[in-house]
Amino acid sequence: MGGKVTCTLGEVKQRADFIIYWGGNPAECHPRHFSKYTLMQKSKFLPKGRKDRTMVLVDIRETKSVKASDIFLQVRPGKDFELITILRALVKEQQVTDEQIEETGLSREALNDLVSRMKAAKFGCMFFGMGLSMTRGKHMNSAALLTLAAEMNAFTKFVAMPMRGHGNVTGADVIMRWQTGFPFGISFNRGYPRYNPGEFSTIDVLVRGDCDAAFIIGADPGGTMPQPAINHLKRIPTIVLDPHITHTSKLARVHITTAAQGIAAPGTAYRMDEIPMPLKPALKSPYPSDEEVVRRINEAIAKKPFWLPEGSMPQMVTEQV
Amino acid sequence: MSPTASKSDTPLQVIDNATCTFCGCVCDDIQLHHDEMRIHKAKKACVLGSAWFLNHTAEKKYPSALIDGKEATVDEAIEEAARLLHEADMPLVYGMSNTTCEAQKECAALADSLGGLLDSHTSL
Ligand code: SF4
């Protein structure tokens, strides 16, 4: 996500008068997004709150979020990339044929109207969900939308932000970037981090059967991944850390129950705009925290010999440099 | 934290501005009313958030650890996990969605010291 044009939700709350949700259903998946950050809040710059803001929803079907929107654009499934590309062309007043527009399931008037509204906005923000980033085109769709946001800055202030779900996935990105330089899909098998999604991403690794042990924490691939990946998890020794006995725990060799983050375990979680939030656990769990268990596993492994054959230790920045 | 009266006789403790980590909004204005065993009320939280807070308790519902389906102590499970991971040539460290940044940092260290793979939900 290097070079992404973005901002914090605080700025959106204070300034964004034009909001696009693309491929997401915040009304049901992020219920307080509208009220807390994007639509309902009044601010110095938007004193009338909701009335000062325009909300556009782009999705392949009508969801509960449509009710909250001013304009709903129903894009044909799998045509998000085409639609974004057409918008990028229209913004720059380049030629787009009727057939190209028709392919997306939308009309030229609707798109011209959208483009003129985008240009007229004082502060535009596009939120994109899994409907964009997990369907045909995947990260190319996100990249195209981020480019559109960047290009809009020739006319007005425009930003884009992914709608992250699933607890602290944003934190996982941030921590991996901080520790390794890469956000996900990392291999340390040469002694230094390398990044190659598709080769080192979990589904691919499991389906090919590339790994010979798995350590699963704060996730349940046994309930969500394709069957060949689950079959491989069954074949190899799998270790699970979770507050519950999950699908994955049932096929694992080792399960350790841990305290639930934010409820019984303290720590930090990242909001979707990459703002870290301290957690305030209310309960005292009979179980240890994830942090403690992983640290103790690390200590137990540190007592064992290093994994490379003797003499081929990579040059590491340690005491004996 | 201050005790307040509630419908039952035991006063509930209140935590102001608690953080909900169920979705990416990470709302940090939740008021939790709890009696140390369970959370009875999560004010300001949405339906998803209150379900998340109210469904977790401090009860010991599950065994501390399982090795090959049999109950074990945490110490044994940690030793066994370390052994299995150390023996592997290409271990995978995956997930890190529902956990804290502090634990995520330990996971990065784990994959590093094992010479293994490190990946999160983002790659799906
Ligand atoms: S209270 Fe609702 S909107 Fe806020 S973080 Fe929790 S689940 Fe998300």
Side-chain angles (χ1 to χ4, degrees), chain A residues 152-167:
Chain A
M152 275 306 296
N153 282 274
F155 306 93
T156 184
K157 170 86 184 167
F158 234 90
V159 298
M161 192 189 301
M163 292 286 280
R164 308 302 298 275
H166 297 295

Side-chain angles (χ1 to χ4, degrees), chain B residues 6 17 19 31 57 93-94:
Chain B
S6 72
N17 298 330
T19 312
Q31 194 183 53
T57 66
V93 177
Y94 169 76

